[in-house]
Amino acid sequence: MPSQTVLITGGSGGIGYELAKLFARDHHNLILVARSAEKLAQVANELQGYGVTVKTVTLDLAEGPAPKFLFDQLQREGIAVDILINNAGFGAFGEFAQMHHQEILGQINLNIMALTQLTRYFVQPMLSRRHGRIMNVASTAGFQPGPLMAVYYASKAYVISFSEAITNELRDSGVTVTCFCPGATHTGFAARAGNNNSRLFKKMGAMSAEKVALDGYRAVMEGRTLAISGMHNWITAQSTRIAPRRVVTAVSRWVSERVE
Ligand SMILES: NC(=O)c1ccc[n+]([C@@H]2O[C@H](COP(=O)([O-])OP(=O)(O)OC[C@H]3O[C@@H](n4cnc5c(N)ncnc54)[C@H](OP(=O)(O)O)[C@@H]3O)[C@@H](O)[C@H]2O)c1
């Protein structure tokens, strides 16, 4: 495949960083967006070693105008994005009624608002060119309600539903949309969420970010509509479709609970 330009939100760490590495190895140019300029500079420095250009944009995508600012800046610079990876996202552990408003809105702004706006802005030039790929990183969390991480699980349910719906609308347009669902993965996510002592992360085991990113990379390049990383995660996701909702919700809570 000829060299493409790939925009990855949250490309400085975790799954986004591993995805960036895979794209760089295959000679694709990168635009990486995150809040920490220092981490972005480190990653850019490393990935330029693959002979690709790496542009970094330091931006908090949870800030309202940030998605439009990013799109306008790239338009002004005449940079066409061939592949958009909406990866940046975070979760917060705790009961909803006690959760700080800032944590609640932060998750909605980043996981839902920014992802939706970036998709809307970047899909337009892709449609004009009749060529483009979008990958929205959801989670296996999106397949069931998630007591103790209610907003995060609901935000990922939105990403799955939204992505599948627009895949249908965009068929035959030349633009593919892939919804990628990792399960628990070793990254900075759990520490940020405050759930690294959960049964899920402590007892059930998480996948490596390298392996998860490779699954995501293959999924977006094949233009798959929905991809779940890991056979055990696929089986768990399927089980939520047949078990009673009340049982699914109770099991989901048990998995999220903190253990010694
Ligand atoms: N790890 C898991 O167990 C897991 C499971 C399922 C799904 N996921 C999903 O996978 C995606 C990536 O998560 P991860 O595990 O790789 O997380 P991570 O290790 O915490 O990395 C998150 C990345 O996003 C950036 N970021 C965070 N907040 C941002 C903001 N407001 N604006 C711009 N960039 C921001 C971070 O850089 P800065 O901090 O410098 O901004 C970093 O580059 C997320 O959507 C997450 O929900 C993760």
Side-chain angles (χ1 to χ4, degrees):
M1 180 189 276
S3 175
Q4 311 265 293
T5 297
V6 188
L7 167 59
I8 306 179
T9 67
S12 65
I15 297 167
Y17 161 72
E18 294 297 337
L19 280 165
K21 214 155 58 174
L22 291 168
F23 281 110
R25 276 185 190 158
D26 281 349
H27 315 294
H28 299 300
N29 297 318
L30 294 165
I31 304 159
L32 306 179
V33 185
R35 291 167 303 174
S36 162
E38 200 184 327
K39 273 198 276 172
L40 281 170
Q42 274 170 19
V43 172
N45 199 31
E46 179 199 333
L47 299 187
Q48 275 154 0
Y50 291 102
V52 298
T53 63
V54 183
K55 177 182 173 57
T56 61
V57 183
T58 308
L59 203 57
D60 183 347
L61 286 168
E63 297 285 333
K68 178 155 175 28
F69 174 87
L70 175 62
F71 178 73
D72 288 347
Q73 180 181 334
L74 297 180
Q75 288 284 101
R76 271 197 310 276
E77 294 176 13
I79 299 174
V81 171
D82 302 297
I83 304 177
L84 167 66
I85 311 284
N86 278 312
N87 162 77
F90 82 100
F93 180 88
E95 291 197 1
F96 174 74
Q98 269 72 50
M99 191 167 285
H100 203 284
H101 287 275
Q102 218 175 320
E103 287 283 76
I104 294 168
L105 291 179
Q107 291 173 84
I108 293 171
N109 286 345
L110 184 61
N111 303 0
I112 296 179
M113 297 287 283
L115 175 143
T116 306
Q117 290 183 77
L118 289 173
T119 303
R120 178 64 180 83
Y121 288 127
F122 286 98
V123 78
Q124 215 56 54
M126 288 180 184
L127 285 172
S128 306
R129 296 194 299 271
R130 293 198 59 80
H131 138 89
R133 296 175 193 277
I134 298 171
M135 182 162 86
N136 291 333
V137 180
S139 167
T140 51
F143 294 108
Q144 66 273 294
L148 305 178
M149 287 187 81
V151 174
Y152 178 71
Y153 277 56
S155 74
K156 294 301 184 177
Y158 171 91
V159 176
I160 296 171
S161 174
F162 167 68
S163 304
E164 286 187 297
I166 60 170
T167 301
N168 173 281
E169 290 179 6
L170 293 170
R171 66 174 181 260
D172 305 326
S173 70
V175 179
T176 61
V177 179
T178 296
C179 182
F180 179 54
C181 300
T185 309
H186 288 298
T187 65
F189 176 88
R192 166 70 184 87
N195 74 337
N196 39 10
N197 286 330
S198 63
R199 220 168 244 119
L200 176 64
F201 276 95
K202 260 200 124 165
K203 302 275 184 206
M204 301 169 94
M207 288 173 70
S208 75
E210 290 93 326
K211 167 79 183 84
V212 169
L214 185 59
D215 286 345
Y217 185 71
R218 288 183 176 143
V220 66
M221 293 320 239
E222 287 167 12
R224 289 173 59 191
T225 302
L226 183 73
I228 297 171
S229 187
M231 183 53 78
H232 61 296
N233 288 323
W234 186 86
I235 292 167
T236 308
Q238 299 315 310
S239 72
T240 64
R241 298 165 59 155
I242 40 174
R245 295 289 283 173
R246 197 166 37 82
V247 174
V248 168
T249 307
V251 171
S252 174
R253 182 191 174 105
W254 181 81
V255 165
S256 279
E257 280 169 354
R258 287 186 170 140
V259 289
E260 289 309 308

